[in-house]
Amino acid sequence: MFSRLFQKSGRKGPARTPPDCVVWAVGDIHGRSDLSGPLIQAIRADLSALSVGRRAIVFLGDHVDRGPDSRGVLDQVIEAAADPSLEVHCLRGNHEDRMEAFLDDPALGPGWCDYGGRECLMSYGVVPPAMRGDPAGWTAASQALRAALPDSHLRLLRGQGYSVAIGDYFFAHAGARPGVALEAQSSEDLMWVRQDFLDHPAPFEKVVVHGHTPADVVVSDARRIGLDTGAYATNVLSAVRLEGETRALLQ
């Protein structure tokens, strides 16, 4: 589904992308390669047909966990990032952060698996321990994941940024801490902030484009664009196309 999003009033002027630039932002995929494959294909087809000088895709993080094919999603993101005609930003979500942390600290495994890590492990052919209190089992699972993880996936995880600004838009996984300049935000807040960001009415210096908090519909106003529509459970994966002052939604 392709539809137009409208900006609500509240800024001195509507947010814009830079001249000669189109930006796509993709919400939380969470292991649903069946949804992200067609979506990414449609985005790349759109960008390849344009004559603009700057074609950007921003993946807002939480590519992994919960859905059945985290490995396949990372393959898709890596393939898009390898296209020399595209500027691709793969932002770090809290789920990628926990996945990478498990490689270094197996004790984090039970907590990670409580919110989707189990499905991620199994997408790499790793069966997690049956018992939470099995230190040797979690160490073995961590080592097995590292052995199964392609080098390209590890480079992606360790090379992810926390945010990127393009024109009047600021992209981050979770949002931003009110009262703190966007350039001074902590990595923790960019991955994890929730109600303090969502409930605060004042706008930031730029419109914040984010995922992290699932909602039934995409939020689009003068302060933020929220793109997490709970794809792993709802079968609805959302992306927004930004060009000039226009916003268009693809689901």
Side-chain angles (χ1 to χ4, degrees):
M1 181 184 73
F2 219 141
S3 59
R4 188 76 172 269
L5 291 174
F6 295 94
Q7 302 190 42
K8 297 178 182 178
S9 60
R11 294 175 58 86
K12 294 180 180 179
R16 298 181 56 91
T17 59
D20 201 31
C21 174
V22 173
V23 184
W24 279 93
V26 180
D28 304 36
I29 300 171
H30 275 307
R32 289 298 303 271
S33 63
D34 57 325
L35 302 178
S36 55
L39 188 80
I40 294 170
Q41 184 178 21
I43 290 171
R44 294 180 67 180
D46 172 70
L47 292 174
S48 67
L50 300 175
S51 58
V52 296
R54 186 177 183 187
R55 304 170 180 86
I57 305 175
V58 182
F59 293 97
L60 291 169
D62 281 7
H63 320 312
V64 303
D65 293 351
R66 292 183 169 156
D69 192 20
S70 295
R71 179 174 187 150
V73 171
L74 293 189
D75 282 337
Q76 293 168 352
V77 172
I78 289 166
E79 181 184 4
D83 186 336
S85 72
L86 301 177
E87 172 188 330
V88 178
H89 300 274
C90 303
L91 302 186
R92 177 179 287 262
N94 54 300
H95 284 262
E96 284 83 42
D97 188 67
R98 293 298 83 194
M99 178 185 178
E100 184 181 350
F102 176 63
L103 295 171
D104 299 320
D105 186 356
L108 299 174
W112 176 41
C113 283
D114 282 345
Y115 67 107
R118 181 174 302 275
E119 292 81 1
C120 181
L121 284 172
M122 295 183 71
S123 78
Y124 286 93
V126 178
V127 178
M131 303 294 292
R132 295 175 64 89
D134 180 5
W138 289 108
T139 296
S142 174
Q143 293 171 347
L145 176 61
R146 179 62 191 90
L149 202 67
D151 288 344
S152 59
H153 290 206
L154 187 62
R155 286 194 299 270
L156 174 67
L157 291 172
R158 295 192 167 163
Q160 287 178 309
Y162 294 99
S163 66
V164 63
I166 302 176
D168 294 328
Y169 292 98
F170 179 85
F171 303 84
H173 172 64
R177 175 71 57 185
V180 179
L182 291 176
E183 63 182 14
Q185 295 284 325
S186 71
S187 59
E188 192 77 4
D189 281 334
L190 293 172
M191 291 188 295
W192 290 94
V193 72
R194 183 161 278 145
Q195 291 309 132
D196 288 349
F197 163 67
L198 298 175
D199 295 343
H200 195 79
F204 292 85
E205 311 95 280
K206 298 177 184 289
V207 173
V208 178
V209 185
H210 67 96
H212 187 55
T213 302
D216 292 336
V217 296
V218 168
V219 175
S220 174
D221 58 31
R223 182 174 178 268
R224 68 185 182 95
I225 301 175
L227 286 173
D228 185 358
T229 43
Y232 71 94
T234 64
N235 300 317
V236 178
L237 177 62
S238 299
V240 66
R241 184 185 193 273
L242 306 171
E243 181 178 15
E245 297 177 4
T246 66
R247 303 175 182 178
L249 175 66
L250 178 63
Q251 294 182 311

